[in-house]
């Protein structure tokens, strides 16, 4: 069942939790639901994950289903591809998305192409969880936002949750999918709280965006951390400028219909995503809107993101490079 529930009592009851806790809950529910599901990655077992996401899962499900691996992304990513091809559902954690390059052969040439190369006769139910984003002073090799790379590549779906509910719902959909999905988790919002449906069958269909706040004057399409910052800004501007905030959620497939409907209503678009501005997520969103709602636009589309530079180690420089709500406000002011 693919449903999206809100708050209430009975089957629709919710509980406030962090994004970290929501991801752990999704993993726990899917491990409990399907014996073919298992988790693997560096320090996911006894250590509980580098960001404490897997927590105590190893105590409940044991070391066979919550597997610590050597520091060898190519090795355990390849093992996951083989395991999926032979009937299981691995959930692989790549500690930092910056390290995906080490196992890009296994992802791009094997995982993404397997079903195609075998004429649709095989399934490849691999879920890859990985962290991304700056803001923790971890320098450029641990702070990149690379989701555009894999949203671009055929054969792989890519999602980027921004709220606890979407973190749970999208991850559960990914694990249940018979095709590979990469879940990009912004590490700076793990402690962000929100209501999460407790129904074991709560999922969010991959390929759907969400209008988080309705508005009339400008649409802000945002991802991950920038969703929360955009919502805070929209509240601050209420009474002055009516801002509609759309959480993109799914990078590929992308929910073009929701984006276009919003822009047809507001006539203006700002795209906020913590990735480099050139050749990326911003450009794809902008192009889809231009192709489908060009005559609804009353002003040039604005982009908010990272300049084409690496994330600095210096806290002051890192703060300067990363996008914030103030950058979204400046973009809005340029066109409203």
């Amino acid at each position: 069942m693919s449903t999206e529930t809100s708050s209430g009592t009975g089957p629709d009851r919710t509980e406030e939790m962090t994004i970290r806790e929501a991801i752990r809950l999704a993993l726990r529910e899917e491990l409990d639901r399907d014996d073919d599901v298992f988790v693997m990655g560096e320090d996911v077992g006894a250590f509980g994950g580098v960001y404490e996401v897997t927590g105590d899962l190893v105590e409940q499900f044991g070391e066979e289903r919550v597997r610590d691996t050597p520091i060898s992304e190519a090795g355990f990513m390849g093992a996951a591809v083989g395991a999926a091809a032979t009937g299981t559902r691995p959930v692989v954690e790549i500690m930092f998305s910056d390290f995906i390059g080490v196992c890009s052969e296994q992802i791009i040439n094997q995982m993404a192409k397997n079903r195609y190369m075998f004429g649709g006769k095989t399934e490849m139910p691999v879920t890859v969880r990985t962290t991304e984003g700056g803001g923790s002073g971890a320098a450029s090799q641990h702070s990149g936002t690379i989701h555009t790379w894999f949203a671009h590549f055929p054969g792989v779906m890519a999602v980027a949750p921004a709220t606890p509910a979407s973190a749970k719902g999208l991850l559960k959909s990914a694990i249940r999918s018979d095709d590979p999905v990469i879940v990009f988790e912004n590490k700076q919002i793990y402690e962000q709280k929100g209501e999460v449906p407790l129904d074991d069958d709560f999922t969010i269909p991959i390929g759907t965006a969400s209008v988080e706040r309705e508005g009339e004057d400008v649409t802000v399409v945002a991802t991950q951390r920038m969703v929360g910052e955009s919502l805070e800004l929209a509240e601050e501007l209420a009474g002055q400028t009516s801002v509609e905030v759309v959480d993109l959620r799914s990078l590929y497939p992308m929910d073009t219909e929701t984006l276009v409907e919003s822009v047809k209503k507001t006539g203006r678009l700002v795209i906020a995503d913590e990735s480099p501005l050139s050749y990326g997520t911003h450009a794809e969103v902008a192009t889809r809107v231009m192709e489908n709602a060009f005559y609804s636009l009353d002003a040039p589309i604005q982009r908010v993101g990272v300049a084409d530079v690496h994330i600095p180690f210096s806290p002051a420089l890192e703060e300067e490079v990363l996008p914030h709500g103030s950058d979204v406000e400046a973009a809005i002011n340029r066109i409203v």
Side-chain angles (χ1 to χ4, degrees), residues 169-190:
L170 290 171
L171 179 55
K172 286 171 70 73
S173 288
I175 295 171
R176 297 183 187 189
S177 172
D178 290 330
D179 292 299
V181 183
I182 304 180
V183 182
F184 291 95
E185 301 165 9
N186 184 281
K187 62 178 77 77
Q188 292 304 307
I189 58 173
Y190 273 136

Side-chain angles (χ1 to χ4, degrees), residues 2-17:
S2 290
T3 58
E4 191 172 343
T5 52
S6 54
S7 60
T9 59
D12 293 334
R13 67 192 180 95
T14 64
E15 180 179 313
E16 186 180 66
M17 63 183 72

Side-chain angles (χ1 to χ4, degrees), residues 13-135:
R13 67 192 180 95
T14 64
E15 180 179 313
E16 186 180 66
M17 63 183 72
T18 65
I19 288 179
R20 174 188 287 108
E21 292 166 338
I23 294 170
R24 187 184 307 140
L25 178 60
L27 291 171
R28 193 185 308 278
E29 289 177 355
E30 294 305 298
L31 284 163
D32 191 53
R33 171 181 174 272
D34 186 347
D35 290 340
D36 288 332
V37 175
F38 70 97
V39 176
M40 65 191 303
E42 298 161 6
D43 294 328
V44 298
F47 191 70
V50 66
Y51 286 100
E52 301 178 350
V53 172
T54 48
D56 62 351
L57 292 178
V58 69
E59 297 174 15
Q60 180 177 351
F61 297 100
E63 295 180 356
E64 286 293 306
R65 300 189 63 203
V66 184
R67 297 182 172 222
D68 280 323
T69 66
I71 303 176
S72 176
E73 288 81 7
F76 63 77
M77 193 66 242
V81 171
T86 52
T88 62
R89 292 182 176 273
V91 181
V92 183
E93 179 178 312
I94 305 292
M95 192 179 292
F96 295 93
S97 63
D98 310 78
F99 303 159
I100 283 187
V102 178
C103 55
S104 58
E105 154 66 21
Q106 287 73 15
I107 293 175
I108 291 174
N109 243 2
Q110 306 303 327
M111 186 180 84
K113 296 179 180 178
N114 189 277
R115 185 191 282 270
Y116 174 79
M117 297 289 287
F118 283 90
K121 295 179 181 179
T122 61
E123 296 177 346
M124 189 50 54
V126 181
T127 300
V128 180
R129 291 182 45 249
T130 189
T131 68
E132 61 178 2

Side-chain angles (χ1 to χ4, degrees), residues 88-318:
T88 62
R89 292 182 176 273
V91 181
V92 183
E93 179 178 312
I94 305 292
M95 192 179 292
F96 295 93
S97 63
D98 310 78
F99 303 159
I100 283 187
V102 178
C103 55
S104 58
E105 154 66 21
Q106 287 73 15
I107 293 175
I108 291 174
N109 243 2
Q110 306 303 327
M111 186 180 84
K113 296 179 180 178
N114 189 277
R115 185 191 282 270
Y116 174 79
M117 297 289 287
F118 283 90
K121 295 179 181 179
T122 61
E123 296 177 346
M124 189 50 54
V126 181
T127 300
V128 180
R129 291 182 45 249
T130 189
T131 68
E132 61 178 2
S136 57
S140 59
Q141 291 179 329
H142 297 76
S143 302
T145 296
I146 68 157
H147 49 239
T148 297
W149 299 3
F150 294 95
H152 167 79
F153 200 82
V156 178
M157 291 181 281
V159 298
T163 66
S166 65
K168 179 187 179 184
L170 290 171
L171 179 55
K172 286 171 70 73
S173 288
I175 295 171
R176 297 183 187 189
S177 172
D178 290 330
D179 292 299
V181 183
I182 304 180
V183 182
F184 291 95
E185 301 165 9
N186 184 281
K187 62 178 77 77
Q188 292 304 307
I189 58 173
Y190 273 136
E191 285 300 304
Q192 180 177 306
K193 291 185 177 182
E195 293 294 322
V196 176
L198 298 180
D199 184 350
D200 288 354
D201 279 326
F202 168 76
T203 60
I204 292 176
I206 294 171
T208 60
S210 172
V211 178
E212 295 293 311
R213 181 188 177 103
E214 293 191 354
E216 300 294 333
D217 297 328
V218 60
T219 296
V220 176
V221 174
T223 65
Q224 298 175 316
R225 178 178 61 84
M226 296 308 297
V227 173
E229 298 221 7
S230 298
L231 286 169
E232 290 179 7
L233 174 65
E235 183 63 30
E236 292 174 9
L237 295 179
Q240 174 185 344
T241 303
S242 178
V243 180
E244 179 148 303
V245 179
V246 178
D247 179 0
L248 190 58
R249 296 200 303 200
S250 182
L251 305 171
Y252 187 86
M254 188 178 289
D255 184 359
T256 305
E257 182 179 354
T258 296
L259 307 181
V260 169
E261 286 180 0
S262 179
V263 172
K264 283 184 175 180
K265 178 174 67 172
T266 66
R268 297 172 177 85
L269 174 62
V270 174
I271 306 158
D273 177 63
E274 191 187 317
S275 65
L277 289 169
S278 295
Y279 303 97
T281 301
H282 310 82
E284 184 63 28
V285 172
T287 299
R288 292 187 184 217
V289 170
M290 290 284 286
E291 289 174 341
N292 293 279
F294 177 78
Y295 293 104
S296 296
L297 287 167
D298 296 324
I301 296 171
Q302 301 295 302
R303 298 178 296 168
V304 175
V306 174
D308 297 338
V309 299
H310 299 299
I311 304 300
F313 172 69
S314 161
L317 291 176
E318 182 179 44

